[in-house]
């Protein structure tokens, strides 16, 4: 297990991505608080506005995928050395056999610093970078404020950041509070030329303040029982083995070779990557480890703006410091860009994962194939009247029990989150029926690896399932496990498959079951969240989806929608009308068009029997919500492997004078021949995992739901 996505671990993953034969066999997992890691050497340039966030970040999710390493986004909070388990916020712990720690450092803020802050709520530590950069971006709205911003610190990081902030906000008062005797004369002259005020250590600070007051290792490392120094850095042998822990390595800002008092620096973190990688590889092969003897001093180039209009840098070598020169900046820029470029040009690995079709609900059989098979099997009623969940039994007291089943091959390499997503996806069929979830049984297929790995993967799957069920008051009551006979994939956890049979009920006081049929003239069509998960995961499989899009999609998909059902019930119980929701379904593998088409067809079959006129649905194309990045990726030509089969649902669209489609797209702000129309059509057939619910309801309920919750009005039911 690799804890943290620091520079050392990132370079090790790059080594394994480019040389897969060097990667140790077995399950390797990377855990980091974010899916991207900002390169420390370019952070001041990012603050100054010289770089964009994407240009200065390492995409750890993509890097791990290319290296065949499982990836988990999570905040680590504890380590149990006896049980060999890592604890992460808001999820189950994870076991390990060997561990490498590269979790970086956090800003050290002592009591003296806190005393000089007149309003502590206005201050933020420089680390973690992502948090402080967001704080800086928020201050952009107030960049011309007369209230000064103060950087507190005397080290190179504080110097570099204060120059970057002055470049970002030329008209704002920027101050540096430092120990004056620690500031080199070159820096003092440059600060004066850049019109940056220098305060001594006795000055009280009002207004916003950025704390660059030194580094310390995360507190949980010391609490874990590892041997650390005064700043909490883990002490290691020259082999990077933690003192007294032969199966644990530590490196980077959180680690320190015994009897080698180096300050934290990205320079040494980069240099340590190759020897640590070799020792990790050797430890799995049972070979003796090699010692690392780092040089005493290292080159550091500190960027700054001695002249606000010119880029300059200071050359630092140990205790020696040379003045601001443009040539030093050019050298720094070349080195920084060449480092980050290594991670930008990763070719997609030719492994089982990249050759697979899309996963999640996009792994469904096509609607055409399914309907043909149902017809040939004499199950036409399932074809003509498809329902999300089957009625198992109804009891005299009004209690009705329902059942559904769903599942798919692993969507992501995090077993816990994958199992949670699968569970929520399966529960969605019951929610669409208006049913609460009561229980579930799981069928879990694991890759053919060692029993120890299978046990840990099974623990993650089971606890992931429970995390989705228990907040609903539901229980996991049993199931079955299998070992796969397919080859073990390049990324082991992508070989997991989870399916669930879910059971639920509707009590007498909770109203009638919801059905796909039942649309009524004048009904409003509401959708609970955005579309686009299919294309996002399709692009991610090709390593061409930025982690920002995938992170947001995973967050949206991992939110349970059972609370939406509670909201609907509450509105219905407070109404004098018998039924406010006339039809409901969830949008899954066949996309919005496919599932909305099922609702219309099922409704019209009933209306034909009753000799009533047929209905259609008018969709407001501009109002259909999408996940962040989905339309952009569709425009670039990405789509799910199920999308071509789903395009048969375009026949439902009324696209001209001679068309007889049951769904009409209405446009407000775009022309019907615009490229955007084609993008929307692709979005409408995009297969969804943990997709939105869609309801047909009267206008009164629609108004309440769109004001008070996440529902969006996207259409209206009209006469055909």
């Amino acid at each position: 297990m690799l804890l943290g996505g620091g520079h050392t671990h990132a370079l090790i993953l790059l080594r394994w991505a480019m040389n897969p034969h060097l990667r140790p066999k077995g399950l390797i997992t990377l855990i980091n608080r974010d899916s991207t890691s900002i390169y420390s050497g370019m952070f001041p340039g990012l603050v100054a506005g010289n770089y964009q966030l994407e240009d200065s970040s390492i995409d750890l999710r993509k890097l791990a995928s290319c290296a065949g390493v499982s990836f988990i986004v999570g905040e680590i909070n504890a380590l149990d050395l006896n049980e060999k388990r890592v604890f992460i916020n808001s999820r189950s712990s994870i076991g390990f056999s060997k561990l490498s720690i590269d979790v970086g450092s956090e800003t050290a803020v002592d009591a003296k610093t806190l005393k000089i802050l007149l309003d502590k709520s206005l201050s933020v530590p420089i680390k973690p970078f992502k948090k402080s950069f967001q704080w800086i971006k928020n201050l952009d709205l107030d960049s011309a404020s007369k209230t000064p911003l103060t950087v507190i610190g005397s080290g190179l990081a504080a110097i570099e950041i204060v120059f970057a902030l002055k470049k970002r906000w030329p008209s704002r008062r920027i101050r540096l509070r430092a120990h004056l005797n620690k500031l080199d004369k070159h820096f003092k002259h440059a600060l004066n030329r850049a019109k940056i005020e220098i305060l001594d250590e006795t000055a009280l600070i009002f207004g916003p303040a950025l704390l660059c007051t030194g580094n310390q290792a995360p507190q949980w490392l010391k609490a874990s029982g590892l041997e650390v120094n005064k700043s909490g850095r883990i002490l290691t042998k020259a082999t990077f083995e933690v003192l007294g822990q032969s199966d644990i390595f530590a490196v980077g800002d959180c680690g320190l070779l015994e009897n080698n008092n180096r300050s934290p620096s990205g320079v040494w973190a980069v240099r340590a990557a190759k020897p640590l990688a070799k020792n990790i590889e050797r430890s799995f092969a049972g070979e003796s480890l090699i010692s690392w003897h780092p040089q005493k001093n290292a080159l550091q180039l500190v960027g700054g703006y001695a002249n606000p209009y010119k880029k300059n840098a200071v050359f630092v070598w140990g205790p020696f410091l040379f003045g601001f020169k443009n040539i030093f900046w050019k050298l720094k820029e070349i080195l920084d860009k060449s480092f980050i470029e290594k991670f930008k040009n990763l070719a997609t690995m030719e492994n089982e994962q990249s050759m697979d079709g899309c996963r999640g609900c996009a792994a469904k059989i096509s609607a055409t194939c399914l309907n043909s098979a149902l017809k040939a099997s004499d199950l036409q009623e399932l074809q003509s009247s498809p329902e999300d969940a089957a009625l198992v039994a109804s009891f005299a007291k009004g209690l009705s029990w329902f059942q559904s089943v769903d599942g798919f091959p692993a969507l992501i390499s995090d077993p816990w989150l994958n199992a949670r997503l699968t569970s929520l996806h399966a529960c969605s069929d019951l929610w669409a029926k208006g049913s609460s979830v009561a229980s579930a049984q799981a069928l879990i297929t694991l890759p053919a690896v060692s029993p120890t790995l299978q046990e840990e993967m099974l623990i993650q799957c089971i606890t992931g399932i429970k995390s989705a069920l228990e907040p609903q008051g539901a229980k996991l009551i049993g199931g079955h496990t299998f070992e796969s006979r397919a080859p073990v994939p390049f990324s082991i956890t992508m070989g997991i498959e989870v399916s669930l049979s879910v059971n639920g009920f509707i009590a007498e006081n909770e109203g009638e079951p919801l059905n796909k049929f039942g649309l009524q003239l004048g009904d409003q069509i509401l959708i609970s969240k955005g579309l686009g998960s299919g294309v996002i995961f399709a692009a991610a499989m090709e390593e061409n989806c930025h982690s920002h899009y995938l992170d947001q999609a995973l967050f949206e998909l991992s939110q349970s929608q059972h609370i939406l059902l509670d909201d609907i019930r509450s509105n219905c119980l407070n109404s004098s009308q018998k039924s406010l929701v006339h039809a409901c379904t969830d949008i899954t593998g066949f996309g919005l068009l496919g599932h909305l088409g099922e609702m219309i067809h099922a409704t019209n079959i009933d209306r034909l029997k009753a000799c009533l006129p047929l209905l259609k649905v008018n969709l407001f194309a501009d109002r259909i919500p999408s996940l962040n990045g989905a339309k952009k990726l569709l425009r670039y030509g990405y789509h799910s492997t199920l999308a071509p089969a789903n395009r048969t649902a375009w026949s439902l669209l009324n696209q001209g004078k001679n068309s007889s489609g049951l769904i009409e797209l209405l446009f407000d702000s775009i022309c019907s021949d615009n490229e955007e129309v084609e993008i929307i059509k692709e979005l409408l057939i995009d297969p969804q995992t943990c997709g939105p619910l869609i309801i047909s309801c009267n206008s009164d309920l629609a108004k309440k739901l769109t004001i008070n919750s996440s529902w969006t009005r996207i259409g209206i039911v009209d006469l055909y």
Side-chain angles (χ1 to χ4, degrees), residues 391 393-401 506-509 512:
L391 177 65
S394 295
F395 298 94
K397 293 185 178 180
L399 185 67
S400 298
W401 278 93
I506 299 176
E508 183 178 17
N509 64 345
E512 296 294 321

Side-chain angles (χ1 to χ4, degrees), residues 293-314:
H293 301 287
Q295 63 196 63
K296 183 178 180 181
N297 295 316
L299 167 66
Q300 291 179 281
L301 294 168
V302 181
Y305 300 87
N307 181 320
Y309 305 102
K310 292 183 180 180
K311 299 175 182 177
N312 296 279
V314 168

Side-chain angles (χ1 to χ4, degrees), residues 154-169:
S154 305
L156 296 179
I159 299 293
E160 203 165 18
I161 288 297
V162 77
F163 278 124
L165 289 171
K166 189 62 179 178
K167 171 68 165 51
R168 188 181 189 95
W169 303 316

Side-chain angles (χ1 to χ4, degrees), residues 175-484:
R175 309 187 304 181
L176 175 69
R177 179 203 174 274
H179 294 280
L180 299 184
N181 60 345
K182 293 184 179 181
L183 286 182
D184 183 271
K185 63 179 181 179
H186 293 89
F187 288 139
K188 289 180 181 178
H189 293 324
L191 290 166
N192 287 329
R193 285 197 299 271
K195 297 182 179 180
I196 295 171
E197 302 173 45
I198 305 174
L199 307 177
D200 66 25
E201 60 270 26
T202 63
L204 297 178
I205 305 302
F206 63 94
L210 188 59
L211 310 181
C212 302
T213 48
N215 301 307
Q216 63 182 18
Q219 293 295 315
W220 59 265
L221 287 175
K222 182 178 180 180
S224 68
L226 296 170
E227 190 167 341
V228 299
N229 68 359
K230 292 181 180 179
S231 62
R233 301 178 72 188
I234 306 169
L235 298 176
T236 74
K237 301 177 184 177
T239 56
F240 303 103
E241 293 172 288
V242 175
L243 299 184
Q245 304 288 338
S246 59
D247 288 327
I248 302 178
F249 301 94
V251 73
D253 287 1
C254 69
L256 180 66
L257 301 187
E258 187 183 22
N259 301 321
N260 191 314
N261 191 24
R262 290 178 293 102
S263 59
S265 170
V267 176
W268 282 290
V270 169
R271 297 279 178 88
K274 189 172 182 178
L276 175 58
K278 287 184 175 181
N279 278 349
I280 291 175
E281 295 155 10
R282 285 170 171 265
S283 71
F284 278 93
E287 300 173 1
S288 59
L289 306 187
I290 59 176
S291 296
W292 182 51
H293 301 287
Q295 63 196 63
K296 183 178 180 181
N297 295 316
L299 167 66
Q300 291 179 281
L301 294 168
V302 181
Y305 300 87
N307 181 320
Y309 305 102
K310 292 183 180 180
K311 299 175 182 177
N312 296 279
V314 168
F315 184 104
V316 181
W317 178 266
F320 303 103
L321 183 149
F322 301 89
F324 281 86
K325 302 289 183 182
N326 181 257
I327 188 65
F328 294 159
W329 178 276
K330 291 181 178 178
L331 177 60
K332 173 179 172 56
E333 196 168 44
I334 290 171
L335 294 174
D336 287 341
K337 287 184 176 180
S338 63
F339 177 81
I340 204 72
E341 200 64 27
K342 297 176 183 178
F343 302 95
K344 300 294 184 184
N345 296 323
L346 281 175
T348 302
M349 300 300 300
E350 293 185 2
N351 53 58
E352 292 90 342
Q353 182 181 339
S354 63
M355 292 186 288
D356 283 343
C358 286
R359 292 165 171 265
C361 204
K364 269 188 174 182
I365 297 296
S366 71
T368 302
C369 177
L370 175 62
N371 289 333
S372 297
L374 290 174
K375 184 177 180 180
S377 304
D378 197 25
L379 287 173
Q380 290 93 332
E381 69 275 11
L382 296 182
Q383 177 188 357
S384 59
S385 300
E387 284 301 334
D388 294 300
L391 177 65
V392 176
S394 295
F395 298 94
K397 293 185 178 180
L399 185 67
S400 298
W401 278 93
F402 296 88
Q403 185 180 67
S404 186
V405 63
D406 217 327
F408 41 71
L411 185 63
I412 53 174
S413 62
D414 178 349
W416 182 91
L417 182 54
N418 187 75
R420 175 177 172 83
L421 294 176
T422 310
S423 304
L424 293 174
H425 186 86
C427 290
S428 184
D429 284 335
L430 291 181
W431 301 331
K433 200 67 181 175
S435 169
S436 299
V437 181
S439 63
Q441 294 195 77
L443 181 64
I444 302 174
T445 302
L446 300 174
V449 292
S450 71
T452 301
L453 287 184
Q454 288 182 335
E455 179 183 347
E456 185 57 46
M457 286 189 286
L458 189 58
I459 290 171
Q460 296 305 309
C461 288
I462 291 173
T463 53
I465 292 169
K466 290 175 64 180
S467 77
L469 295 177
E470 290 179 350
Q472 304 179 64
K475 292 184 178 181
L476 180 63
I477 59 173
H480 203 73
T481 55
F482 284 104
E483 181 181 84
S484 174

